[in-house]
């Protein structure tokens, strides 16, 4: 991975940040525990037998990231707006935008509500099922690559939540966060129950030295 970043102070209360990341992966990128169904495999009435997915052995990705932070003195709070663009050579183009408000309450408490939206296209080798028979590829050819992993399908997701940070000591703080996460398919083919929805509660403790 190669990352190039720039942080520009626009005025005493505003910071603009921009990052560009180039990443290349090579090797065994297939997850053998992800199964795939094939149309021509003789199931003999079931139960269905799935075959391990097969992904390309390399991936080149480019990620652009922009962040704008501004402090509002009258409100004693700050807003952060971010945008992330992801592209890779496997066909995925993704956009992620987020908005977070950091509200200081007194000297020790910060309350930070957040909303985030993500959308992406599918990898070119994604599908819910594929033609061919891996046990007899001579008579029933299969695609070169294939995967039914919903995470590389066309989808969108929504996240909203809030984080509470309390400075309990000069060199220590506690954090408690709740987020609601919902994912939906957008290809009109993948079953809706493949996409997760979750309530996420996390806690943390930070020390400064």
């Amino acid at each position: 991975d190669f990352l190039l970043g720039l942080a520009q102070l626009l005025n005493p209360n505003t910071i603009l940040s921009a990052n560009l990341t180039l990443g290349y992966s090579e090797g065994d990128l297939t997850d053998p525990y992800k199964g795939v169904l094939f149309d021509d495999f003789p199931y003999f009435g079931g139960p269905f037998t799935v075959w391990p997915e097969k992904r390309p052995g390399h991936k080149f990705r480019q990620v652009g990231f922009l962040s704008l932070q501004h402090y509002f003195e009258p409100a004693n709070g700050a807003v952060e707006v971010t945008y992330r663009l992801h592209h890779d050579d496997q066909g995925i183009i993704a956009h992620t935008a987020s908005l977070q408000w950091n509200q200081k309450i007194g000297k020790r408490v910060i309350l930070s509500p957040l909303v985030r939206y993500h959308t992406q296209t599918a990898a070119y080798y994604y599908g819910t099922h594929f033609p061919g028979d891996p046990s007899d590829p001579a008579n029933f050819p299969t695609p070169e690559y294939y995967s039914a992993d919903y995470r590389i399908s066309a989808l969108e997701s929504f996240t909203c939540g809030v984080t509470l940070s309390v400075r309990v000591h000069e060199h220590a703080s506690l954090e408690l966060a709740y987020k609601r996460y919902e994912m939906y398919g957008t290809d009109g083919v993948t079953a809706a129950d493949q996409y997760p929805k979750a309530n996420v509660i996390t806690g943390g403790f930070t020390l400064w030295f």
Side-chain angles (χ1 to χ4, degrees):
D1 288 322
F2 173 80
L3 185 147
L4 177 65
L6 171 69
Q8 177 64 50
L9 188 66
L10 301 181
N11 60 52
N13 291 338
T14 309
I15 299 175
L16 176 66
S17 301
N19 294 334
L20 174 64
T21 301
L22 302 177
Y24 182 77
S25 303
E26 186 173 10
D28 186 5
L29 305 181
T30 296
D31 185 346
Y33 299 101
K34 298 291 183 182
V36 174
L37 290 171
F38 284 89
D39 298 335
D40 299 304
F41 179 76
Y43 294 111
F44 304 111
F48 289 157
T49 300
V50 294
W51 293 80
E53 69 172 17
K54 183 181 179 183
R55 303 195 187 201
H58 57 83
K59 181 166 69 172
F60 176 54
R61 58 193 177 277
Q62 312 91 47
V63 182
F65 178 80
L66 288 174
S67 171
L68 181 67
Q69 302 176 60
H70 180 76
Y71 173 63
F72 293 87
E73 293 187 36
N76 199 22
V79 65
E80 181 177 12
V81 181
T82 69
Y83 170 72
R84 179 179 181 269
L85 172 63
H86 169 101
H87 172 267
D88 62 40
D89 60 0
Q90 297 185 358
I92 294 181
I93 301 175
H95 306 270
T96 307
S98 70
L99 174 65
Q100 179 170 309
W101 177 264
N102 301 300
Q103 179 62 55
K104 194 169 184 179
I105 303 173
K107 295 182 178 181
R108 296 181 176 272
V109 178
I110 298 177
L111 192 65
S112 304
L114 164 76
V115 291
R116 181 185 296 120
Y117 174 71
H118 172 86
T119 183
Q120 70 179 47
T121 58
Y124 69 83
Y125 54 87
Y126 171 79
T128 56
H129 58 91
F130 295 87
D133 179 359
S135 67
D136 187 11
N139 294 313
F140 300 97
T142 62
E144 183 178 9
Y145 304 113
Y146 40 83
S147 173
D149 186 346
Y150 70 89
R151 295 172 298 179
I152 58 172
S153 69
L155 58 83
E156 61 182 3
S157 66
F158 303 86
T159 306
C160 61
V162 62
T163 300
L164 178 67
S165 177
V166 181
R167 194 73 173 261
V168 295
H169 185 270
E170 181 183 359
H171 299 289
S173 68
L174 291 172
E175 285 191 356
L176 181 65
Y178 165 78
K179 290 183 176 66
R180 173 64 181 177
Y181 179 79
E182 297 187 0
M183 181 186 289
Y184 301 91
T186 58
D187 59 11
V189 177
T190 307
D193 59 7
Q194 294 292 307
Y195 299 96
K197 298 176 178 60
N199 296 306
V200 182
I201 299 174
T202 58
F205 180 69
T206 304
L207 287 174
W208 289 274
F209 297 95

